[in-house]
Amino acid sequence: MDILKVGDQEKGACEKCAAFVTVTYQLRDVPFSDGCGLVKQVLVGVCEQCDQVCVLPQQSTPVVKRALEKQRKPVESRVPAHMVDILNLASVEVGCGTEFIPYIVKYYLHALASRKMSAKRLPGYLTTDLAKGKAEKRISLKGQHVVEEVSELKALTQIESTSDLIRGVILKINDDIVQNKRLKPLNELRGIAAAVG
Ligand SMILES: [Zn+2]
């Protein structure tokens, strides 16, 4: 991959002009195609004729992805208060503060949805006493893959509601981390904590 600099020029196709034009790379604020939001100061190829952005170089795609990410709506669910306590205790077990909670839940969602970890006990957890309780606390999960992984895991477990699914995941975290201190997930989570901390 060629790394482009501000001011570099090359020939490229401009859709708007329907022509092959000289493209100059510049930093521009680029609106998303759906009109909601903007990526600020990203390196793009600008058409010499119409002054519109006509090329998004490969090196700029991580920035655009990240901006889209920030825009993406989180997966929200409501859970009983003791479930947040479970997640707090699990964070402590990893050696972190409560800011680590979303990472733990996302790690589990990923491991379960990708079948690196068995999801077969999830429905069973929902029939236990710990699954009960008034949903008074909110859990908000953001991330590139959260939405897909939640739907993947719903299909896998036949659990239809997102809140039930998150409850099941939290009860698995309770079982693995808080109660049994299983080393495999704990060590992986400690690795993540070291990377994000
Ligand atoms: Zn043009």
Side-chain angles (χ1 to χ4, degrees):
M1 176 182 27
D2 288 333
I3 300 293
L4 296 155
K5 308 186 303 301
V6 171
D8 283 354
Q9 289 191 320
E10 63 184 9
K11 289 284 179 188
C14 175
E15 247 177 77
K16 205 158 206 175
C17 300
F20 214 54
V21 297
T22 300
V23 171
T24 307
Y25 288 93
Q26 301 175 12
L27 297 177
R28 286 268 175 105
D29 293 346
V30 180
F32 291 127
S33 50
D34 63 2
C36 309
L38 199 72
V39 200
K40 288 205 162 154
Q41 294 294 92
V42 60
L43 189 76
V44 288
V46 175
C47 167
E48 191 186 49
Q49 286 183 29
C50 66
D51 198 44
Q52 301 289 306
V53 175
C54 61
V55 181
L56 180 70
Q58 210 182 339
Q59 74 197 59
S60 295
T61 55
V63 181
V64 173
K65 268 195 185 155
R66 192 171 148 68
L68 274 169
E69 193 64 36
K70 278 190 182 162
Q71 256 212 322
R72 190 167 289 150
K73 283 205 179 113
V75 169
E76 304 269 5
S77 63
R78 297 184 72 83
V79 297
H82 67 271
M83 297 232 173
V84 175
D85 296 337
I86 287 171
L87 293 173
N88 286 335
L89 290 170
S91 292
V92 170
E93 211 56 61
V94 176
C96 293
T98 54
E99 74 285 349
F100 196 65
I101 284 181
Y103 294 103
I104 299 184
V105 180
K106 285 200 277 184
Y107 163 82
Y108 266 84
L109 275 178
H110 176 71
L112 291 162
S114 63
R115 298 167 198 229
K116 280 184 201 127
M117 200 183 260
S118 166
K120 66 171 192 284
R121 291 168 86 173
L122 251 50
Y125 286 131
L126 293 178
T127 64
T128 62
D129 191 50
L130 271 182
K132 295 175 193 155
K134 205 171 157 210
E136 290 178 306
K137 296 272 182 177
R138 198 172 60 100
I139 289 190
S140 171
L141 298 167
K142 258 187 166 180
Q144 206 179 338
H145 306 295
V146 171
V147 175
E148 299 109 89
E149 282 168 352
V150 164
S151 51
E152 190 87 13
L153 201 49
K154 280 180 181 173
L156 207 62
T157 56
Q158 311 281 309
I159 297 171
E160 281 171 19
S161 107
T162 302
S163 285
D164 282 349
L165 186 78
I166 298 297
R167 286 182 191 215
V169 170
I170 294 171
L171 292 176
K172 177 156 177 61
I173 293 169
N174 179 51
D175 195 358
D176 283 2
I177 306 289
V178 180
Q179 306 301 331
N180 293 301
K181 308 187 194 320
R182 292 205 172 101
L183 280 178
K184 190 168 183 285
L186 258 178
N187 284 337
E188 288 193 5
L189 285 165
R190 281 172 185 147
I192 295 168
V196 300

